Amino acid sequence: MTNSLSDRNYLHDRHRLSHQQIDRWLGENRSKEFLDEKLKRLEAVKHFLSVTDLFSQNGISFISLKGPLLSLRIYGDPSVRLSHDVDILIEDDRIEPAMKVLIENGYQLTQGEFWPSKKNQQELLIKSAHHLVFYNQKVNSILELHWIIMHEFPLSHKMQKEVITKNITEIVFAERTFTVFTKEFELLYLMIHGAIHGWNRLKWLVDIKEYPIADINMNIFQELVDRFKAGRIVLQTNCLLKEYFNVQLPFDSDTHFSKYIINYAHNCILNDTVDGFPIKRIIRRYRYEWLLIPSFYSKCRTLREILFRPRDIIAINSSSKLMYFLYRPFSFIKRRIFHA
């Protein structure tokens, strides 16, 4: 472990751990020195309640992802984890009503985000992206409106919805009842989310280390791991927990995997920068995704990602969905060969 992972400022700024979490990591008791952060976290909880109240008042059902409710589950306190946005999962047919509520209450799509007016373009966006990002300048709050958890899951949109429907429960907070994932599904979701991002923020690994594992039904969890072909991710998670915290979860898998996915995660964790995508990094990223989940569907998704980007939707205006998949190769040839 490098010295930087013993540095409070580095853990806070680079890996987005709160000072309460860093105290637990370093065995210190200094979080009271950073009361301003605690006040900001409490304000963020207030914003979470405010925006979710808007959805409830307008009859928009939703599932809360991560955020204050995950902090409540892990620490018994909704303001321990750092969270810079509110993540909400809704049904496809509620996207436009939800957008209307947000826009009427001071939220706007962030730069680069868009919602097409044409039906075929909306369908393409839903299949190629997983959320829209909104920002409210007045309260300095970001909200991500999800209609799917993530496209990297080795299950189709429809199958994901079926699994989610069977793995939700309710939690009561601030005299409100929220729909959330069951603990088994949430834990697997946290693992897959962290793995897909290469674990470049240690906060995701800390979430899993601190998760109330004693409450997990091992049989249900294993069924979900098998369903999502996540055996390699479970092994990767345990390897990283062993490396950084000298602990492991009571889960095992007979799955074999390439050490590349461990080395890639180490590089992401220890790299001081997480932005920027030079060509070599892109190649390494695609290789990592290819090896991470042994699913034909996931590999097809990776190939689709190479051929098509959501931004392509606004680059052309066509009634044919096929044209949007032909645009990127054509654009590449045009830019790189004819205009070299």
Side-chain angles (χ1 to χ4, degrees):
M1 184 175 295
T2 64
N3 292 332
S4 57
L5 294 183
S6 298
D7 180 84
R8 177 175 292 269
N9 290 332
Y10 182 78
L11 290 172
H12 181 270
D13 299 339
R14 166 65 177 83
H15 289 288
R16 294 182 183 171
L17 291 169
S18 72
H19 289 289
Q20 286 178 276
Q21 290 174 308
I22 295 170
D23 273 354
R24 294 166 73 98
W25 181 315
L26 300 180
E28 298 178 352
N29 187 25
R30 295 181 52 199
S31 60
K32 293 180 181 179
E33 299 174 22
F34 307 94
L35 290 180
D36 284 350
E37 177 184 272
K38 187 65 174 180
L39 292 174
K40 289 179 181 178
R41 299 310 319 134
L42 291 171
E43 191 67 21
V45 174
K46 177 183 175 181
H47 293 157
F48 167 77
L49 292 173
S50 175
V51 72
T52 52
D53 281 349
L54 288 175
F55 285 154
S56 297
Q57 291 162 7
N58 286 274
I60 299 173
S61 299
F62 63 90
I63 297 174
S64 175
L65 305 177
K66 301 179 292 182
L69 298 184
L70 175 60
S71 184
L72 181 66
R73 248 184 183 172
I74 295 176
Y75 300 101
D77 180 342
S79 62
V80 171
R81 296 177 70 254
L82 292 182
S83 182
H84 295 288
D85 51 37
V86 175
D87 291 275
I88 297 296
L89 178 65
I90 62 172
E91 294 288 343
D92 300 357
D93 61 2
R94 306 305 289 162
I95 295 174
E96 290 190 334
M99 288 180 60
K100 184 174 184 292
V101 168
L102 291 171
I103 291 171
E104 287 177 348
N105 287 274
Y107 284 84
Q108 295 183 339
L109 284 168
T110 59
Q111 186 175 4
E113 295 287 310
F114 65 95
W115 178 250
S117 58
K118 294 187 175 181
K119 190 68 175 178
N120 69 319
Q121 293 179 327
Q122 291 175 5
E123 291 171 352
L124 278 171
L125 183 63
I126 289 172
K127 289 181 178 180
S128 59
H130 65 279
H131 71 319
L132 291 171
V133 183
F134 293 82
Y135 177 64
N136 188 320
Q137 185 175 14
K138 183 177 180 180
V139 296
N140 191 29
S141 178
I142 296 173
L143 182 140
E144 292 188 358
L145 193 65
H146 297 251
W147 50 84
I148 189 172
I149 307 175
M150 58 181 67
H151 283 296
E152 291 84 357
F153 275 18
L155 294 178
S156 67
H157 195 160
K158 180 180 178 181
M159 293 178 70
Q160 282 192 42
K161 287 180 177 292
E162 291 174 359
V163 174
I164 289 171
T165 300
K166 297 177 182 177
N167 289 277
I168 53 176
T169 185
E170 292 182 340
I171 187 171
V172 177
F173 170 58
E175 300 181 344
R176 299 161 173 83
T177 300
F178 294 93
T179 300
V180 295
F181 292 151
T182 60
K183 290 182 179 178
E184 292 80 12
F185 189 53
E186 182 172 61
L187 179 60
L188 180 61
Y189 165 60
L190 294 175
M191 288 184 178
I192 296 177
H193 177 268
I196 290 298
H197 289 284
W199 301 101
N200 60 40
R201 302 290 189 194
L202 275 170
K203 63 175 290 185
W204 301 321
L205 202 60
V206 169
D207 286 340
I208 294 167
K209 170 183 174 289
E210 301 289 348
Y211 203 83
I213 302 299
D215 298 339
I216 299 295
N217 182 309
M218 302 295 183
N219 292 329
I220 293 175
F221 180 80
Q222 189 58 53
E223 288 175 3
L224 289 168
V225 170
D226 294 340
R227 183 74 186 274
F228 282 88
K229 301 185 185 302
R232 294 178 183 177
I233 290 176
V234 171
L235 285 175
Q236 181 200 46
T237 304
N238 259 341
C239 286
L240 296 174
L241 286 171
K242 180 68 174 177
E243 172 70 20
Y244 292 98
F245 302 104
N246 197 32
V247 299
Q248 286 189 299
L249 302 180
F251 309 126
D252 200 2
S253 173
D254 57 3
T255 302
H256 298 287
F257 66 97
S258 169
K259 290 184 178 179
Y260 182 84
I261 67 172
I262 299 296
N263 295 333
Y264 181 90
H266 281 313
N267 289 334
C268 288
I269 290 170
L270 300 175
N271 188 4
D272 285 339
T273 60
V274 295
D275 299 320
F277 294 94
I279 188 65
K280 289 184 178 180
R281 185 173 297 181
I282 292 174
I283 293 172
R284 290 196 297 268
R285 174 69 189 181
Y286 280 128
R287 182 186 176 192
Y288 172 73
E289 290 183 0
W290 192 268
L291 294 171
L292 188 63
I293 303 176
S295 161
F296 178 74
Y297 181 83
S298 294
K299 289 175 172 47
C300 288
R301 287 292 317 181
T302 300
L303 291 173
R304 176 184 173 129
E305 185 179 321
I306 295 172
L307 294 173
F308 177 77
R309 292 283 195 280
R311 291 288 300 176
D312 295 342
I313 294 172
I314 58 175
I316 59 175
N317 184 12
S318 174
S319 59
S320 170
K321 291 181 181 178
L322 177 62
M323 290 299 297
Y324 292 92
F325 289 93
L326 296 176
Y327 170 77
R328 180 159 289 272
F330 168 77
S331 174
F332 179 83
I333 293 171
K334 181 180 178 182
R335 286 182 288 107
R336 299 290 182 172
I337 298 178
F338 293 107
H339 294 285

